[in-house]
Amino acid sequence: MSVISRNERSRKAQTQDAKRYIQMTIRRMRQDMNLTQAQLGKSLVTPVDQATISNWESGKTELSASQLLDVMMLFGKPNFLMLLEQSDASDMAFVARKSA
């Protein structure tokens, strides 16, 4: 097995964990701000409907990079990538267990 193959599996697992973490974070922050999915969708620079927010939170669809940045800026977390980097292993493990 090549180093690239091992690296690919690791990257894939980390990417999946990060996606789940983002989904859960969006839902948690939206709820913390007492926003409905529809309200969040209407508040974005490029508004989306309630179903789109639901799909993001459930993992049915993925946000674009600009949408993720917009959502995190709305939540007062423009440095979301740093938040991801700072999330400890227990956060990611929790996400992995919850989705299993």
Side-chain angles (χ1 to χ4, degrees):
M1 182 179 315
S2 72
V3 173
I4 293 174
S5 295
R6 285 191 303 266
N7 186 20
E8 183 178 348
R9 280 199 310 268
S10 175
R11 284 183 296 124
K12 185 174 182 177
Q14 289 173 336
T15 300
Q16 292 301 319
D17 288 346
K19 287 179 187 179
R20 287 186 211 100
Y21 184 74
I22 289 168
Q23 294 162 10
M24 291 176 53
T25 300
I26 290 172
R27 176 175 287 140
R28 181 179 43 81
M29 290 180 154
R30 176 183 60 77
Q31 290 172 338
D32 288 350
M33 291 180 68
N34 294 316
L35 292 173
T36 65
Q37 291 173 337
Q39 289 169 325
L40 174 58
K42 289 178 186 175
S43 300
L44 298 176
V45 170
T46 303
V48 297
D49 61 16
Q50 175 275 326
T52 299
I53 302 296
S54 176
N55 287 338
W56 290 348
E57 291 180 357
S58 68
K60 289 181 183 175
T61 59
E62 295 179 16
L63 297 80
S64 69
S66 60
Q67 288 169 323
L68 178 59
L69 179 60
D70 188 16
V71 168
M72 290 304 127
M73 289 175 70
L74 184 68
F75 291 148
K77 305 285 185 189
N79 297 325
F80 185 67
L81 292 178
M82 288 175 48
L83 179 67
L84 260 181
E85 290 171 356
Q86 293 171 356
S87 65
D88 60 27
S90 64
D91 287 341
M92 291 299 202
F94 171 77
V95 169
R97 281 192 311 274
K98 187 160 181 136
S99 65

